């Protein structure tokens, strides 16, 4: 079946601009996660959605970052007033959401470059 | 085969040899561990997982070993192939932490033909 998809695959923007990154999770997955991967680094947790519960935003690095998930499916990560240090690959993952210990499946990521 | 900790960024092995990738974790509350493989330009791909009530789990050509006493996790790849060349990450999460994964920094596996 279809996996997690993300768009755009690449985004180049100017410092100070806002960007929106989109994630389409696997159908039927109730849990959705955003991570950030800087060059040569591991993945850094950003935010987690589970069903209708309030999202866990504990990983968002600043108030310039926000995310929403509409209808329990598609999610959008928004970065306002982008800075050069925001340049990274933004990865989305989804999971069935059973009991909190289930496998996360990742999308291909969006590579964001802030000039 | 060769083994290396995550503080060394690259592991180079001969095609056909066994590979061992090691990972140390610090959170004693972690009880679910996963190995991911990431090829260039792609997202991490699930390889194998293990829960803390086990110390070994086998998949196709891969084995994960867990030593909770010393908080150590390893991934063994049998008969390493060129297609195994990638960055490998271990990840962990404690029970009840809504599956928020903590990832290691990753190690690059390079397979020599």
């Amino acid at each position: 079946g279809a996996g997690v998809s993300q768009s755009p695959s690449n985004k180049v923007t100017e410092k100070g601009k806002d960007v929106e990154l989109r994630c389409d999770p696997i159908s039927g997955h109730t849990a959705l996660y955003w991570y950030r991967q800087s060059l040569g680094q591991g993945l850094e947790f950003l935010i987690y959605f589970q069903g209708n519960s309030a999202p866990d935003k504990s990983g968002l690095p600043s108030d310039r970052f926000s995310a929403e998930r509409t209808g329990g499916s598609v999610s959008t990560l928004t970065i306002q007033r982008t800075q050069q240090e925001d340049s990274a690959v933004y990865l989305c993952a989804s999971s069935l959401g059973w009991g909190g210990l289930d496998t996360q499946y990742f999308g291909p990521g969006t590579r964001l470059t802030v000039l | 085969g060769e083994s290396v900790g995550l503080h060394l960024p690259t592991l180079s092995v001969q095609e056909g040899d066994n590979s061992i990738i090691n990972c140390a974790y610090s959170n004693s509350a972690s009880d679910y561990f996963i190995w991911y493989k990431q090829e260039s330009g792609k997202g991490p791909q699930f390889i194998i997982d293990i829960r803390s009530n086990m110390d070994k789990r086998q998949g196709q050509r891969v084995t994960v070993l867990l030593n909770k006493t010393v908080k150590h996790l390893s991934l063994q790849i049998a008969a390493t192939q060129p297609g195994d060349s990638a960055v490998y990450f271990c990840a962990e999460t404690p029970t009840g932490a809504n599956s928020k994964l903590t990832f290691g920094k990753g190690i690059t596996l390079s397979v020599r033909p």
Side-chain angles (χ1 to χ4, degrees):
Chain A
V4 177
S5 61
Q6 293 185 244
S7 60
S9 55
N10 281 283
K11 177 70 176 180
V12 179
T13 190
E14 294 179 346
K15 178 181 175 181
K17 300 285 189 182
D18 298 351
V19 295
E20 286 189 353
L21 313 179
R22 177 186 168 107
C23 172
D24 285 82
I26 294 172
S27 178
H29 281 192
T30 65
L32 186 147
Y33 315 77
W34 283 97
Y35 294 86
R36 178 169 70 175
Q37 185 175 31
S38 301
L39 185 63
Q41 299 296 311
L43 281 74
E44 172 192 7
F45 168 79
L46 297 177
I47 188 169
Y48 159 68
F49 296 90
Q50 171 59 64
N52 296 321
S53 302
D56 177 353
K57 305 179 182 180
S58 61
L60 295 179
S62 77
D63 59 7
R64 295 187 296 104
F65 288 71
S66 63
E68 63 178 20
R69 189 178 184 193
T70 55
S73 181
V74 172
S75 177
T76 302
L77 177 69
T78 301
I79 308 174
Q80 296 178 309
R81 305 181 302 282
T82 52
Q83 304 294 314
Q84 288 183 332
E85 60 263 28
D86 299 334
S87 296
V89 176
Y90 289 82
L91 289 155
C92 175
S94 71
S95 69
L96 285 168
W98 293 346
L101 292 178
D102 58 337
T103 304
Q104 295 180 30
Y105 296 91
F106 284 82
T110 293
R111 181 174 297 278
L112 175 65
T113 303
V114 182
L115 302 176
Chain B
E2 300 175 54
S3 65
V4 63
L6 282 178
H7 61 284
L8 299 177
T10 303
L11 171 63
S12 180
V13 298
Q14 187 70 40
E15 181 179 357
D17 284 354
N18 297 331
S19 302
I20 301 174
I21 303 172
N22 296 307
C23 176
Y25 63 95
S26 57
N27 188 349
S28 56
S30 292
D31 66 352
Y32 180 50
F33 306 87
I34 311 104
W35 280 101
Y36 285 93
K37 171 187 179 183
Q38 187 175 27
E39 297 174 287
S40 180
K42 297 183 179 180
Q45 176 188 359
F46 170 86
I47 301 173
I48 192 167
D49 60 2
I50 190 168
R51 300 188 191 277
S52 60
N53 60 352
M54 303 173 68
D55 53 20
K56 180 179 180 179
R57 190 169 187 212
Q58 289 185 293
Q60 186 176 11
R61 283 201 307 118
V62 294
T63 300
V64 55
L65 299 176
L66 174 63
N67 186 329
K68 295 181 291 294
T69 302
V70 295
K71 295 201 279 290
H72 184 270
L73 188 71
S74 68
L75 176 70
Q76 300 178 359
I77 304 174
T80 312
Q81 302 171 359
D84 295 327
S85 294
V87 178
Y88 289 80
F89 294 97
C90 63
E92 57 177 297
T93 186
T95 301
N98 59 43
S99 289
K100 179 173 63 179
L101 293 172
T102 300
F103 283 82
K105 289 195 180 298
I107 182 165
T108 300
L109 176 64
S110 176
V111 182
R112 303 188 302 272

